[in-house]
Structures are given as structure tokens and as C-alpha cells.
Amino acid sequence: ASSFTPVYNLPKVALGKNDGMEESDSEDDKDAYASSSSDNEDDNDYEEIRQMLPVSSKSDRQKKSLEALARRRNERQQNQSTTDEAKSENNTPSSSSSSSLWWWQTDPMFAPFLAEAPKHKRGYDPSLQSAYDELKIPLGSGESRVRDAYLNQIVSRHPDAAGSKKKLLKAQQAYETIANDFWRHDSGCASMREKLDQALKNTTTAAMTKIQSCDPTKKTIFVSLSVYRDLEAQHTLRSLFENAKDPSRVFVGICWQYKTETTTEVSSITGEHERCVCRLHHAVNRITAKAEEEAAKMKGEQDPEKYLMVDVRKVQLEVQQFEDEKEKKAHNVRTIFDGVKNEKEKAWLKNVRETHVNWDSSDGPCYSRHLANRLWGGESHVLYVDAKTAFDADWDETLLRELEEAEKDNKKENTNTNGVVLTAHPLGYDLEVSPVLNPETYETDHHVFMYGKRIFPAKEERNAPAMLTAHTFGKQFPHLSASKLHAKPERSLKSPFVSNLFMFGPSEVFIRDCPSDVHAPFLYLGEEVSTSIKLFTKNWDARTPPNVPLLHCHDPRHRRESFLEDRRKGRLLYATVYDAGYGTPQAVNRRTRLNEYSRRRIFQIVCEGAVSEDAAGGKLIIYDGDKFNIGHKRSVKEFESFSGVSILEKRITERVETVGLAREEFEKNEKRKCAFLVPTKSISGTSWTPERLYTSGGNIDF
């Protein structure tokens, strides 16, 4: 399966009273199902429609639709064996040295859309009309509006909300169709078309295949970055290019999520939108906190309301505007790199593709990673890292070499031809802090982080990598932890889990076989575990290399997520955090429901659907043919035996705590020389979140 779904037209023929579609008498709709339905739903639609319509009530048009479905089903069954063989050949994991660097040229999910550029503007293709209608928004609606409408449909169509699995599936397919059109207009797809056109112009087909398959200099790396309001990310981007041995082969896809708009509210006097103060910047919040202290001291004729809403407001707005501009500059590659005077940075600039999302439209790591991966331009390898990452010198050469060595290690240990993915929990670095003095007392008032001023551990403290382990269970998924080895291993070691803080492998892994699940909003525990299981069941082996050429800043004070933001602003700026800090009650309820639905979806996927409604926490919502499902080349039971973790039984064995190694091979937390190398308890990047920070009510387990 690919990470993108080809465009389809939702059927417009009304076959039942309650199917939610408008009837059409045009000639074009007579064979609508035969021309537009996806292969995965033909059999289900045929049976459901046939049972829905009594024999006596079937019209000629309805009979033709049923005949078209039956005809297409029979044709597909006749060609099934041939198709399965072709897919098996095309999807078999293989080493980076022997596989075609441009596997996507013949991939059925990519090739049809690379022949020519889209003829219509983004979102305005008439064939998308039925998909937009399914989400109840007008044709041409932008990315944020489409996503918001889709999330609303998940909540309203979910079986728990008096919806149905079939209605939910239609909304999912409609969203994937529109997202596929957005992808065709993205810079990544444009790069693939340009690359393919250039190759076809310069070489013959035979010569081109030979060059792509054998020339090691054609190896390129796509770095997938998801950034949420992080001023350290700009320095990660610089470190990435400055320390690469060959920056020309490094390409970056960034999903910037930040405060793109000026905060406003509707005036109670004029009825128009006007600027207002919010709590999204620490500098503004310090002024607000001081103002609240001063207002609490006022007595007699002093008016604390006027002081807060008028006198202090001007200063707050000035600081807020400054912080807004600083944040915008730090989240735009054209202001980070000098593309005019600096020739080196000008070259880097050409290798960066970016997309911008307002902070309030962020709904978790799965969606943001999907947006970043949509900028992939056909590069041979993909690297997952966090926004706060420092790269070692020649990191690109090191990763390619370590991957080749890991593939050799894997062949020695196994008789199969499984592909290999490198992963580990990166060791840490810290940021310098600078004290800010109180102008009246000249004592330290607070500290600020010096972004870009990085404190690296000593060389001897980086003598070995950290393995991914698990020790405790959440409500449905285990909390991943990191355990650092005493000494550097002589070869790469098998790892049961992968980490989004560092994952590297052939592009087939991340784009075709294990794409980020766009149907799992607000998922913060379960993403990495489900990815690990999907990779295993699709014959990809995760291994931790002896050398990990990057570091990550683990300081929890830098952690930011959209649901953690204080949403008080304007007239509610001084309301209690429980009244307005988490947003409106409707917004809190929506986030809570979506988080619950996502956890249930991922739980059912990794359990292969073999779970009762009671165990799954509700009705089953997954279906066969979902491109985000696990594979079938190895079973989940085999993963449980290998990893020592049973998701269904919520069982953790000693094997997963030590990754099959002796406990003596790991460092003990109390003996660590550098405290910030690896956190002492649960880490797992974006996976662990205190439930009290998510919502003011309810028992939410991440």
C-alpha cells in the first residue's frame, strides 16, 4: 500500500432511501460504481445494495449498477493472482544497494499522477466535488478547513455517536482523495515529476534503469521534520546542512506549525475584529502575571479592571507583536537562510520544501508527520528526527555506512531477505540559559533559554547508544523507555521498537509500507508502538547501530503541543485556567473524543481486529484493505514472541526490559555521569504526556 490514495469519484446514484446521496439521471452515472468505487469496497457495496433492494422494486438503472458491480468483481477475481504476484515483487523489502532508487516510477499509487502536472488549481478539480460534498464543505476549501471538517465528521459519524462504520469509511475515503490532490500540488510531487522528466530527456529507459540501480552517488536523503512552535528548529536546520559531508544530496521536508495569525476577538462595542492579548508567549505571560500581582494589591479608589484592561494592555500588545514576528522568522526557511548573498545557503535553500500550519490547526504528531512526508520528492532514503536535534560531522555518510553494515548483520543472523531500518533513542544535549535580572532589586528574576547555544556531552559519555525498552503499560499501549549500553557493541543490535526521534532507512519504508496514519488525530501514545508492529509484519527489521551521529534535547521544559497551550485571550485573559485555559467545553470534548477514537483505532489495527468490543473499548471501526493496517508477512504473535510485549494481554516480559540482553550490559541511572544524556524514566519523545495537561476533566490515558 502507498501513503496516498488515487483520486476517485464517490458514487452519485441513489440506491436507497438512507444512503445520503443525491439522485442523478445523467448518462454518466449509469455505470458509476463500475468506474468510481474502490476495489476494497466493491464486494461490500454489492452485497449491501443487493440486500437493500427488493427484487420487485429494482429499477433498470439500479439493476445496471448491480450488474456493473458484479462484472467488476468477477474481472478483479480473474486477475487477482497476477496482481498479487506483481505486488509481492514490488513490495518486497530489499537492501538499499540492490533496489531501484526510484521504485516509485512503476508504483501504481504514484506513477499515474506523475505523467503531467495537475490541470486544475489546488482543490478545484471537478472530480473532487463528491468528496467535498461528503465532508460538507465547498469545492476548493483549503487544507485547514478540509482537515477540520474531516475531524468533525469523525466525531459525528463514529459508531459511538449514532453513526456507522460504513459512514465513517466514506468520510475517510473522501479525505484521502482530497489529500491526494493536495499532494499533487505540493513541491515534493513537483520534484518527482521534474526528476522523472529530466531523466527521460537525458537517457534511454535501459540506461536510466542501470544508472538508478547501480550508481551509489545517486543515494539521497529526505529528512522529515515536524516542528511545533520551536525556536530551536532553525538551528537544527543549520546543523543538518553544515555537518553533512555532501549537502547536495540532503533534502528536507518541514511542516511548520506556529502562530501564523494575529490574535483577535470581536469587539463588544464595534462588533469588528480587533487585536487582543493572548497567553501563547512566555514573555507576555510574565507581564500578565506581574500585572495580576499588582492588581491584587490595589485598594480604595484604584481601579484594577482599568489597570489590567487599559494601562497594561498597550505594553502587552507591543511585546506580543515582537514575539509574533520573532516566531514567524524562526519558522520560515527564507528568513533562516540567506538566499541572496550567501551562495552556500542559497544552495541549501533549494533543497528545503516547507508547508505552514497555524498552531490551532495542529492535531498531533501523525498529521504533522503526514504533511512533512507529503513533501518527499523521490529521494532514496528517509530520516526521521525531532525539531531539537544536533548532527555530528559527516552524519549523512555515517548513516548510509551504518545502514549497509546493519543489512550485512541482518543477513548473518537471518535466513530471510528482510529490509533494515536504523533506530535508537538519541543521547542528549542541553541548552544554555541566561539569567534576567529584576530592574529594581538587581536579583535574578527568571532565566531564558539561549536557542542555538548548545551544551554537548563529552566524547567519553557518548561511548555507546541507547536501546528502546518498555517497563510499564498505559491504558492500551506500553510506555517506551531508553536504556544506555555500557559499551559500544561490535555490530548493530536488533530492536523491538522504533523511535520517531531517530529512524533511518529506504524511502519505501516510510512512504509506501508504513505511512503516518492521518486517521489518528491527537494520538500521543501508541504511534511508535504501532509503527514497530507494522514494520515487523511487513518484513522490516529495526536495528540499533553502534554509532548514532546525532543528539536530541530532552529537557521537558522545551515541550510544546497544541493541546498544552493556554487558550485564554482578550476578555477571558484573566479568567481561571479551568474556565478558559483549555478552550471551549465543545473543543475540549472534541479533542478528548478524537484522542479516544484514535487510540481505539490503533489498538484494533495492531490486534489485527481480533478483539472484542469490550476489549477494544467500543465498536470495531477498522476494515480490510486500509492502507494503514499491519502486514501479513509475519504475524503479531511472532512480534510478541520477539519483543516480549503483548498489546492485547497488556503483558510485559523481562525480554523487552533488556531487549534480550543481559542487564549488566546497561548503565544504571544513578551511575550516569551526565544527567541529561537520557531521562531516567519514560521518554519516548511525543509519546508520554501527563493527563492533567490534556484536559481539565475526565480520565484520559495517553
Side-chain angles (χ1 to χ4, degrees), residues 39 151 205 235 320 568 595 618 626 669 678 684:
D39 289 344
L151 298 185
T205 304
H235 304 288
Q320 181 170 293
R568 290 175 288 177
N595 170 260
D626 191 329
N669 292 336
V678 181
S684 186

PDB file of all heavy atoms in Angstrom, residues 39 151 205 235 320 568 595 618 626 669 678 684:
ATOM      1  N   ASP A  39     -11.593  -0.765  -5.188  1.00  0.00           N
ATOM      2  CA  ASP A  39     -11.637  -2.225  -5.203  1.00  0.00           C
ATOM      3  C   ASP A  39     -12.019  -2.803  -3.852  1.00  0.00           C
ATOM      4  O   ASP A  39     -12.689  -3.812  -3.768  1.00  0.00           O
ATOM      5  CB  ASP A  39     -10.271  -2.780  -5.613  1.00  0.00           C
ATOM      6  CG  ASP A  39      -9.995  -2.512  -7.093  1.00  0.00           C
ATOM      7  OD1 ASP A  39     -10.961  -2.188  -7.795  1.00  0.00           O
ATOM      8  OD2 ASP A  39      -8.823  -2.624  -7.502  1.00  0.00           O
ATOM      9  N   LEU A 151     -12.369  16.064  10.771  1.00  0.00           N
ATOM     10  CA  LEU A 151     -12.409  15.718  12.190  1.00  0.00           C
ATOM     11  C   LEU A 151     -13.831  15.820  12.740  1.00  0.00           C
ATOM     12  O   LEU A 151     -14.246  15.003  13.579  1.00  0.00           O
ATOM     13  CB  LEU A 151     -11.460  16.619  12.985  1.00  0.00           C
ATOM     14  CG  LEU A 151      -9.970  16.515  12.630  1.00  0.00           C
ATOM     15  CD1 LEU A 151      -9.144  17.369  13.595  1.00  0.00           C
ATOM     16  CD2 LEU A 151      -9.488  15.079  12.651  1.00  0.00           C
ATOM     17  N   THR A 205      15.573   4.384 -21.612  1.00  0.00           N
ATOM     18  CA  THR A 205      14.984   3.685 -20.468  1.00  0.00           C
ATOM     19  C   THR A 205      15.956   2.677 -19.863  1.00  0.00           C
ATOM     20  O   THR A 205      16.126   2.591 -18.656  1.00  0.00           O
ATOM     21  CB  THR A 205      13.694   2.960 -20.896  1.00  0.00           C
ATOM     22  OG1 THR A 205      12.811   3.909 -21.470  1.00  0.00           O
ATOM     23  CG2 THR A 205      13.041   2.275 -19.704  1.00  0.00           C
ATOM     24  N   HIS A 235      18.010  26.157  14.238  1.00  0.00           N
ATOM     25  CA  HIS A 235      19.393  25.749  14.452  1.00  0.00           C
ATOM     26  C   HIS A 235      19.588  24.269  14.100  1.00  0.00           C
ATOM     27  O   HIS A 235      20.682  23.872  13.689  1.00  0.00           O
ATOM     28  CB  HIS A 235      19.798  26.025  15.896  1.00  0.00           C
ATOM     29  CG  HIS A 235      19.607  27.464  16.299  1.00  0.00           C
ATOM     30  ND1 HIS A 235      20.415  28.475  15.829  1.00  0.00           N
ATOM     31  CD2 HIS A 235      18.672  28.063  17.086  1.00  0.00           C
ATOM     32  CE1 HIS A 235      20.005  29.638  16.324  1.00  0.00           C
ATOM     33  NE2 HIS A 235      18.950  29.406  17.091  1.00  0.00           N
ATOM     34  N   GLN A 320       3.833  41.340  22.534  1.00  0.00           N
ATOM     35  CA  GLN A 320       3.232  40.239  21.780  1.00  0.00           C
ATOM     36  C   GLN A 320       3.535  40.358  20.290  1.00  0.00           C
ATOM     37  O   GLN A 320       3.835  39.360  19.626  1.00  0.00           O
ATOM     38  CB  GLN A 320       1.713  40.234  22.011  1.00  0.00           C
ATOM     39  CG  GLN A 320       0.986  39.109  21.296  1.00  0.00           C
ATOM     40  CD  GLN A 320      -0.454  39.006  21.747  1.00  0.00           C
ATOM     41  OE1 GLN A 320      -0.740  38.655  22.894  1.00  0.00           O
ATOM     42  NE2 GLN A 320      -1.373  39.316  20.850  1.00  0.00           N
ATOM     43  N   ARG A 568      -6.447  31.213  26.903  1.00  0.00           N
ATOM     44  CA  ARG A 568      -7.108  32.421  27.383  1.00  0.00           C
ATOM     45  C   ARG A 568      -6.641  33.638  26.577  1.00  0.00           C
ATOM     46  O   ARG A 568      -5.450  33.773  26.286  1.00  0.00           O
ATOM     47  CB  ARG A 568      -6.824  32.637  28.864  1.00  0.00           C
ATOM     48  CG  ARG A 568      -7.505  31.645  29.782  1.00  0.00           C
ATOM     49  CD  ARG A 568      -7.086  31.832  31.226  1.00  0.00           C
ATOM     50  NE  ARG A 568      -5.706  31.387  31.450  1.00  0.00           N
ATOM     51  CZ  ARG A 568      -5.080  31.488  32.615  1.00  0.00           C
ATOM     52  NH1 ARG A 568      -5.701  32.053  33.653  1.00  0.00           N
ATOM     53  NH2 ARG A 568      -3.841  31.046  32.755  1.00  0.00           N
ATOM     54  N   ASN A 595      -9.042  11.770  20.628  1.00  0.00           N
ATOM     55  CA  ASN A 595      -7.948  11.013  21.230  1.00  0.00           C
ATOM     56  C   ASN A 595      -8.384   9.588  21.544  1.00  0.00           C
ATOM     57  O   ASN A 595      -7.656   8.621  21.282  1.00  0.00           O
ATOM     58  CB  ASN A 595      -7.457  11.718  22.489  1.00  0.00           C
ATOM     59  CG  ASN A 595      -6.492  10.880  23.301  1.00  0.00           C
ATOM     60  OD1 ASN A 595      -6.881  10.277  24.302  1.00  0.00           O
ATOM     61  ND2 ASN A 595      -5.243  10.816  22.878  1.00  0.00           N
ATOM     62  N   GLY A 618     -15.087  -0.315  22.637  1.00  0.00           N
ATOM     63  CA  GLY A 618     -16.225   0.119  21.832  1.00  0.00           C
ATOM     64  C   GLY A 618     -16.312  -0.693  20.557  1.00  0.00           C
ATOM     65  O   GLY A 618     -15.618  -1.694  20.371  1.00  0.00           O
ATOM     66  N   ASP A 626      -7.507  -1.294   4.504  1.00  0.00           N
ATOM     67  CA  ASP A 626      -7.000   0.002   4.957  1.00  0.00           C
ATOM     68  C   ASP A 626      -5.481   0.018   4.771  1.00  0.00           C
ATOM     69  O   ASP A 626      -4.770  -0.868   5.244  1.00  0.00           O
ATOM     70  CB  ASP A 626      -7.349   0.196   6.437  1.00  0.00           C
ATOM     71  CG  ASP A 626      -7.097   1.620   6.925  1.00  0.00           C
ATOM     72  OD1 ASP A 626      -6.174   2.263   6.389  1.00  0.00           O
ATOM     73  OD2 ASP A 626      -7.806   2.073   7.837  1.00  0.00           O
ATOM     74  N   ASN A 669      20.946   4.089  36.125  1.00  0.00           N
ATOM     75  CA  ASN A 669      20.649   5.525  36.099  1.00  0.00           C
ATOM     76  C   ASN A 669      21.460   6.317  37.112  1.00  0.00           C
ATOM     77  O   ASN A 669      21.961   7.401  36.815  1.00  0.00           O
ATOM     78  CB  ASN A 669      19.149   5.756  36.350  1.00  0.00           C
ATOM     79  CG  ASN A 669      18.312   5.255  35.195  1.00  0.00           C
ATOM     80  OD1 ASN A 669      18.810   5.150  34.077  1.00  0.00           O
ATOM     81  ND2 ASN A 669      17.067   4.945  35.465  1.00  0.00           N
ATOM     82  N   VAL A 678      20.141  10.790  28.941  1.00  0.00           N
ATOM     83  CA  VAL A 678      18.886  10.108  28.697  1.00  0.00           C
ATOM     84  C   VAL A 678      18.035  10.263  29.951  1.00  0.00           C
ATOM     85  O   VAL A 678      18.529  10.069  31.050  1.00  0.00           O
ATOM     86  CB  VAL A 678      19.089   8.604  28.402  1.00  0.00           C
ATOM     87  CG1 VAL A 678      17.760   7.927  28.128  1.00  0.00           C
ATOM     88  CG2 VAL A 678      20.019   8.418  27.219  1.00  0.00           C
ATOM     89  N   SER A 684      10.373   8.405  25.228  1.00  0.00           N
ATOM     90  CA  SER A 684       9.600   8.141  24.024  1.00  0.00           C
ATOM     91  C   SER A 684       9.136   9.386  23.312  1.00  0.00           C
ATOM     92  O   SER A 684       8.106   9.400  22.665  1.00  0.00           O
ATOM     93  CB  SER A 684       8.383   7.286  24.371  1.00  0.00           C
ATOM     94  OG  SER A 684       7.699   6.915  23.208  1.00  0.00           O
TER      95      SER A 684
END
